[in-house]
Amino acid sequence: MADLPTGNAVIGQSGGPTAVINQALVGVIEGLREGLVNAGKVKRIFGMRHGVRGISSGKADELIDLAPLSAERLERIARTPSAALGSTRDKPDAAYCDRILEGCRSNDIRYFFYIGGNDSADTCRIVAEKAAEAGYELRCFHVPKTIDNDLRENDHTPGFPSAARFVTLAHMGDALDNASLGGIKINIIMGRNAGFLTASAALARELRETDEDPAKRPAPHLIYVPEVPFVMDEFLADVDAVYTKLGRCQIAVSEGIRDADGKEIGPQLMGTGEVDAHGNVQLSGSGALGDGLAGFLKKGLTPAGGKAPRIRADTFGYLQRCWPETSTVDAAEARGVGRFAAELASNGEMSASVTIVRTSNAIDSYRSAFGRAELSAVARHARHVPPELLSGRNNVSPSFYDYCQPLVGDLPHFERL
Amino acid sequence: MADLPTGNAVIGQSGGPTAVINQALVGVIEGLREGLVNAGKVKRIFGMRHGVRGISSGKADELIDLAPLSAERLERIARTPSAALGSTRDKPDAAYCDRILEGCRSNDIRYFFYIGGNDSADTCRIVAEKAAEAGYELRCFHVPKTIDNDLRENDHTPGFPSAARFVTLAHMGDALDNASLGGIKINIIMGRNAGFLTASAALARELRETDEDPAKRPAPHLIYVPEVPFVMDEFLADVDAVYTKLGRCQIAVSEGIRDADGKEIGPQLMGTGEVDAHGNVQLSGSGALGDGLAGFLKKGLTPAGGKAPRIRADTFGYLQRCWPETSTVDAAEARGVGRFAAELASNGEMSASVTIVRTSNAIDSYRSAFGRAELSAVARHARHVPPELLSGRNNVSPSFYDYCQPLVGDLPHFERL
C-alpha cells in the first residue's frame, strides 16, 4: 500500500433507506479498519450526516467521528433498519459537487464511500472527475443499495431481497385474507421504473404455477409491472375473468405502471400530484393510485342496478423498505459490498462501483461474489426487468422464480382446507 | 356426561379474520376430540363454509367434515393466518337465524361453536334463544376473536396481540425511516371504534416515555384514538410543534377518529364513501383518510410563498390482521379459548361466551386464564380504551405499556448513532 494516499475516509448514505443499508455502512467501517486504518493510510473515518448534504454544508458537526464505535455497537447498528447516518434526496449538480469536493479537501478526505442507487453512483463519478481536474487525490467508491433492484452491472442489489421478502410474506397473508371473505384486492407496490419488487409477489404462490389462465394460478392472480404497457380495458377484462370464475382476485400492481405511450397511470388517475426535486410526481406515501384503480374497477364491474363487488386497495408504502426482519442473504451481501468497497481501496483501485454477481443459483447452493464496475457504467441509467423474466401482460415467467427465490429465502408453508 | 345431548358439532369463523383465528378453530376440534367425541356424545364435527352463510344455505357442500384432519395437518392449519373455513360479514336477523337453526336441525347439530366478535356473540345468543323456543336442544358457544380488542368481559381478545405486534414493529422501522429523511409521516391504523391497536404503536418507543411535550417523546410522537375527540386545529398545532422542533414527526392515527360530536373524521374528509351491510362507511382498504389528513397538514404548514414540508401517509391496511408472524402469547391463547369452549360443552355448561382473564402481569411472569360469560354480556356492545390507559389528547399513559407489552412480547433493540 506504499503508494496509496494517506488521509481520512468518509462514508455516506443516500436515497430511500433500506432494511440493510446499515449493514453496508458497517461493512465499509470494518473493511477500512482491517485494511487502510491498520496500514496507517487512513487516520480517521467520518460519517456524513444526511449524505452529501452533510459534507457540503461546511459545518463541522455534520461529520461524525466513527472511531469510538465498538464492534458490539457496530453489530447492533448493522441490524438496525434505515440509514443510521441520515439520508438525503439531494441530487448534486456541478456547483453542489464543488462544495462536496471542498468539504473533502478541508477534512483531508482521500477515500469517499457513498452507499446508494444510480444517482449516488453519478455523484461519485462527478466528484471523482472534479477532484482529478483539481489535481486533488481522491478515490470515490459507490456501494450499491436500492429496493428497486434497478442498478446496471448487478445481478441484484442490497435492499431488494429484504423488500421482496416483505412483499412475498404480505401477499401470502393477504391472499388467505382475500380467500376468506372474497372480493377483489389490489396491492400497490413500490418501484417507479423497475417491476422487480412487484414481480416478487409471485413467490407468495408457493407453487411455481404460471398458467396462462389467471384464474388457474394461485394468488396473486395478476401482476402488473412498469415494463409492460398497462391498458385500462385489458386490466378490467383480466380482473373480470378471474373474479367471475373464483369470486375473488388478488392483484399486485407497481406504483410505476404506465400506458403504451410510457405515461404513468398514477398521475393520470390522481390528477395533479406533488412533484419532488427530481421532477417526479409523488407516488409513494399516498393511497391515490390504489383508490383510483379500485374506483375504476367498481364502475366497470358493477352490473346496472346491481350490487358492487367488494373491492379493497392497500398501498404497502414505506414498510417495504424498513420492515425490521430481513432476508438472510440480503443482510450478508449488504455487509459484503461494504467490506468489498474498502478492500478495493486497500488494493489501490481507483474510483469504482461495487457490483454483485451470482455464481451459483440453486436455492440450496446459492452463492454470490462481488466485483467492480466503472462508475459511469452504473451511474444514472436504470435497469429494468428483462423480458425473459416476464410472461404475457400480467405474470412472471418460470425463470423469475429461479431468479428471486434464493434471494428471499425460506418461506412458511400454509395449509388450506 | 350422561345427561348431555348426543349429536353433531359445528364450528364457524366470522368477521374480519386474524392471524390466529385458525388456532381457535383447531383448539375447538382438539377439545372436542378429547372430550365429547371421546365420550360418544359428538358423532361428527362439521366446519361451516363462510360462517353462518354456510349452515343457513341448506346446501350440503357448505358443511365440511373435519374428521379426516390429522394432528399434523391441524397443526399446520393452526399456524396459517386467516379463516381456513372462510368468513362472512353477514349479521343475521331473526329470519336468518331461523335458517341457521334449520341448518342445525337438519344436520343433527347439538353443539354450535362460533369464532368471532360481538356480532358473532349476538348470533349465538339469538340462535340459542330460538332453539330454546322451539324446544330443540342446542348449546351455542362464542369463541372470542377481534384485532380491535373491543369485547366486553375480556382483558383482551385473540388476534389483538399479533396485530399489535405488527403495528409496533412497523412503527419501529418506520420511525427510523422517518428520522433518516425527515418530514411528517402519518400512519393510519385499523380500529373503527376502539383505539387499542392504534395505541399499541407506543410500544415502538422502546422506552416508556410519556413526556407531556410530544417533541420530547421518542416516535411515534403523536397518537390519536377514537376515544379522544379529534380537533383538526389541535392536530395541526400538535404536528407543527413537533415538526418545528425536530424537523420530523411520526403520527399514529386510528381510522375511527371522530370529532367532539362523535362524527367520524374519515367520511368528512373523504366525502361520500362506500357503505357496508352494517350501514358503516368503508374506512379500511382505502388510503383516503391518510391522504386527506396529509393534504390538510400541507395546507396548514406551508408558509406563504414557501416550500411545503415533506408529508407522507401510509395506511397499514389488511396486513395488520394477516401478517404471518404472530405473537407467541396470542397463538397460545387463541388455541386455548378454542379448547376451553369445547371443555365448557363437555362440562355440561349451557350456551356461553369464552373470556380471557389476566392472572399475572409482569412481562416475565405474564399469565392468563379462561372464563365464561353470558352471551348477552358480550353481544353487540363494544369496549373502548379506558381513560386510565390514555394521557392527554395525543398519548397513552404508563399503564398502557404495562397492559400491552406482555401481549406483544419481546421486541428487537435498535441502535442509533
Side-chain angles (χ1 to χ4, degrees):
Chain A
M1 299 187 192
D3 53 348
L4 290 182
T6 300
N8 298 320
V10 72
I11 314 170
Q13 297 172 307
S14 181
T18 77
V20 298
I21 189 171
N22 289 333
Q23 293 278 3
L25 168 66
V26 170
V28 177
I29 297 170
E30 288 176 339
L32 284 172
R33 286 182 178 177
E34 292 167 21
L36 290 169
V37 171
N38 205 26
K41 292 293 179 182
V42 162
K43 306 292 181 194
R44 302 180 70 183
I45 307 174
F46 294 111
M48 306 174 210
R49 293 281 296 145
H50 298 285
V52 290
R53 184 174 287 200
I55 195 162
S56 64
S57 69
K59 295 180 196 156
D61 61 355
E62 294 292 295
L63 288 185
I64 302 173
D65 184 359
L66 300 175
L69 296 173
S70 67
E72 293 71 26
R73 192 142 173 243
L74 283 181
E75 194 54 54
R76 288 200 299 273
I77 289 170
R79 292 167 189 270
T80 297
S82 199
L85 292 170
S87 190
T88 177
R89 285 278 180 201
D90 286 358
K91 181 170 161 43
D93 57 13
Y96 196 126
C97 286
D98 283 333
R99 293 200 302 278
I100 297 171
L101 183 57
E102 183 47 41
C104 289
R105 296 181 85 130
S106 62
N107 289 285
D108 194 23
I109 304 293
R110 300 292 175 172
Y111 303 92
F112 180 97
F113 296 89
Y114 209 34
I115 307 163
N118 50 19
D119 285 346
S120 303
D122 203 38
T123 299
C124 285
R125 183 187 63 80
I126 301 172
V127 171
E129 276 177 17
K130 288 202 169 272
E133 283 165 22
Y136 178 76
E137 200 165 8
L138 178 70
R139 299 175 184 203
C140 298
F141 299 93
H142 169 241
V143 182
K145 171 251 34 162
T146 166
I147 65 163
D148 290 345
N149 200 35
D150 64 351
L151 295 192
R152 290 190 179 184
E153 308 287 328
N154 286 270
D155 177 81
H156 61 278
T157 55
F160 168 69
S162 294
R165 185 172 176 84
F166 179 87
V167 168
T168 300
L169 287 171
H171 276 87
M172 291 180 85
D174 182 71
L176 294 159
D177 192 276
N178 179 240
S180 75
L181 280 168
I184 294 161
K185 179 70 194 301
I186 302 166
N187 293 323
I188 305 292
I189 301 167
M190 278 183 168
R192 181 172 209 110
N193 298 305
F196 291 102
L197 194 56
T198 303
S200 69
L203 299 187
R205 292 172 181 162
E206 300 189 47
L207 300 169
R208 293 182 170 220
E209 238 163 299
T210 53
D211 203 287
E212 272 192 39
D213 178 356
K216 290 185 179 163
R217 300 171 196 155
H221 307 96
L222 300 167
I223 296 174
Y224 298 100
V225 295
E227 286 82 356
V228 180
F230 187 88
V231 180
M232 295 295 280
D233 288 342
E234 291 177 353
F235 172 60
L236 184 64
D238 291 347
V239 177
D240 192 20
V242 176
Y243 180 66
T244 302
K245 276 193 193 164
L246 304 180
R248 64 192 158 84
C249 183
Q250 190 196 39
I251 313 162
V253 180
S254 168
E255 65 181 3
I257 49 167
R258 51 198 72 210
D259 64 21
D261 297 327
K263 284 171 62 184
E264 290 182 331
I265 302 293
Q268 295 178 45
L269 281 174
M270 290 151 69
T272 55
E274 185 179 327
V275 176
D276 70 12
H278 301 219
N280 297 322
V281 173
Q282 179 203 327
L283 289 178
S284 298
S286 157
L289 173 59
D291 289 351
L293 291 175
F296 169 78
L297 288 178
K298 190 173 169 181
K299 202 173 158 193
L301 296 176
T302 305
K307 196 166 165 288
R310 178 177 182 269
I311 307 178
R312 299 290 184 267
D314 274 339
T315 302
F316 286 176
Y318 293 91
L319 302 185
Q320 295 166 89
R321 71 186 197 197
C322 66
W323 185 253
E325 287 150 10
T326 60
S327 142
T328 310
V329 162
D330 197 22
E333 289 182 341
R335 188 75 152 256
V337 289
R339 294 182 73 100
F340 193 78
E343 288 166 19
L344 286 179
S346 297
N347 293 341
E349 297 268 1
M350 304 307 285
S351 297
S353 179
V354 174
T355 62
I356 297 185
V357 181
R358 189 180 307 223
T359 51
S360 168
N361 191 42
I363 187 151
D364 298 331
S365 67
Y366 168 84
R367 294 281 182 282
S368 64
F370 308 116
R372 79 175 289 287
E374 294 304 320
L375 287 166
S376 57
V378 177
R380 283 175 302 181
H381 304 292
R383 188 169 71 113
H384 297 279
V385 182
E388 64 269 22
L389 297 190
L390 299 172
S391 170
R393 71 187 188 214
N394 53 35
N395 203 11
V396 300
S397 74
S399 305
F400 183 81
Y401 295 93
D402 296 335
Y403 171 75
C404 201
Q405 185 96 62
L407 308 180
V408 165
D410 288 337
L411 294 169
H413 170 67
F414 293 134
E415 189 74 24
R416 289 163 184 78
L417 276 176
Chain B
M1 299 188 193
D3 54 348
L4 289 182
T6 299
N8 298 321
V10 72
I11 314 171
Q13 295 172 308
S14 181
T18 77
V20 298
I21 189 172
N22 290 333
Q23 292 277 4
L25 167 66
V26 170
V28 176
I29 298 171
E30 288 176 339
L32 284 173
R33 286 181 179 178
E34 292 168 23
L36 290 169
V37 171
N38 205 25
K41 291 294 178 180
V42 163
K43 305 293 182 193
R44 302 180 70 183
I45 306 174
F46 293 110
M48 306 174 210
R49 292 283 295 144
H50 297 285
V52 291
R53 183 174 287 200
I55 196 164
S56 64
S57 68
K59 295 179 197 156
D61 62 354
E62 294 291 295
L63 288 185
I64 301 174
D65 184 359
L66 300 175
L69 295 173
S70 67
E72 293 71 26
R73 190 140 176 246
L74 282 181
E75 195 55 54
R76 289 199 300 272
I77 289 170
R79 291 167 190 271
T80 297
S82 200
L85 293 170
S87 190
T88 177
R89 285 282 181 199
D90 287 358
K91 181 170 161 45
D93 57 13
Y96 196 126
C97 286
D98 283 332
R99 294 200 302 278
I100 297 170
L101 183 57
E102 184 46 43
C104 289
R105 294 181 86 133
S106 62
N107 289 286
D108 194 24
I109 305 291
R110 298 294 174 172
Y111 304 92
F112 180 98
F113 296 89
Y114 210 35
I115 307 163
N118 50 20
D119 285 345
S120 303
D122 203 37
T123 299
C124 286
R125 182 187 64 79
I126 301 171
V127 171
E129 277 178 16
K130 289 204 168 270
E133 284 165 20
Y136 178 75
E137 199 164 8
L138 177 71
R139 295 170 187 207
C140 298
F141 298 93
H142 168 243
V143 181
K145 173 258 19 167
T146 166
I147 66 165
D148 290 343
N149 200 36
D150 65 350
L151 295 191
R152 291 192 178 182
E153 307 286 329
N154 285 271
D155 178 80
H156 60 279
T157 56
F160 168 68
S162 294
R165 184 171 178 84
F166 179 87
V167 168
T168 300
L169 287 170
H171 276 86
M172 291 180 85
D174 182 70
L176 294 159
D177 192 276
N178 178 240
S180 75
L181 280 169
I184 295 160
K185 180 68 193 303
I186 302 166
N187 294 322
I188 306 292
I189 301 168
M190 278 183 167
R192 182 168 208 116
N193 298 305
F196 290 103
L197 194 55
T198 303
S200 69
L203 299 187
R205 292 172 181 162
E206 301 189 46
L207 299 168
R208 295 185 169 218
E209 237 163 299
T210 52
D211 203 286
E212 272 191 38
D213 178 356
K216 291 186 178 162
R217 301 171 195 154
H221 306 97
L222 300 166
I223 296 173
Y224 298 100
V225 294
E227 286 82 356
V228 179
F230 187 88
V231 181
M232 295 294 280
D233 288 343
E234 291 178 354
F235 172 60
L236 184 64
D238 290 348
V239 176
D240 191 21
V242 176
Y243 180 66
T244 302
K245 277 193 192 166
L246 303 180
R248 63 191 159 86
C249 182
Q250 190 195 39
I251 313 162
V253 180
S254 168
E255 64 181 5
I257 49 167
R258 50 197 73 209
D259 65 21
D261 297 328
K263 283 171 63 184
E264 290 182 334
I265 302 294
Q268 295 177 46
L269 282 174
M270 291 152 68
T272 55
E274 185 178 329
V275 176
D276 71 11
H278 301 219
N280 296 324
V281 173
Q282 179 203 330
L283 288 178
S284 297
S286 157
L289 173 60
D291 289 351
L293 291 175
F296 169 77
L297 287 179
K298 191 173 171 182
K299 201 173 161 195
L301 296 176
T302 306
K307 195 167 168 287
R310 178 177 183 268
I311 307 179
R312 299 290 183 265
D314 275 338
T315 302
F316 285 176
Y318 292 91
L319 302 184
Q320 295 165 90
R321 72 186 196 195
C322 66
W323 184 253
E325 287 150 11
T326 59
S327 144
T328 309
V329 161
D330 197 21
E333 288 182 342
R335 189 76 153 255
V337 289
R339 294 181 73 98
F340 194 78
E343 287 166 20
L344 286 179
S346 297
N347 293 340
E349 295 269 0
M350 303 308 284
S351 298
S353 179
V354 174
T355 62
I356 298 185
V357 182
R358 190 180 305 223
T359 51
S360 167
N361 192 43
I363 185 151
D364 298 330
S365 67
Y366 168 84
R367 293 281 182 285
S368 63
F370 307 116
R372 78 175 290 287
E374 293 303 320
L375 288 167
S376 58
V378 178
R380 284 176 299 181
H381 304 292
R383 187 168 72 114
H384 297 279
V385 182
E388 63 269 23
L389 297 190
L390 300 171
S391 169
R393 70 187 187 211
N394 53 35
N395 204 11
V396 300
S397 73
S399 306
F400 182 82
Y401 295 92
D402 296 333
Y403 171 75
C404 201
Q405 185 96 62
L407 307 180
V408 165
D410 288 338
L411 295 169
H413 171 66
F414 293 134
E415 189 74 25
R416 288 162 186 79
L417 277 175

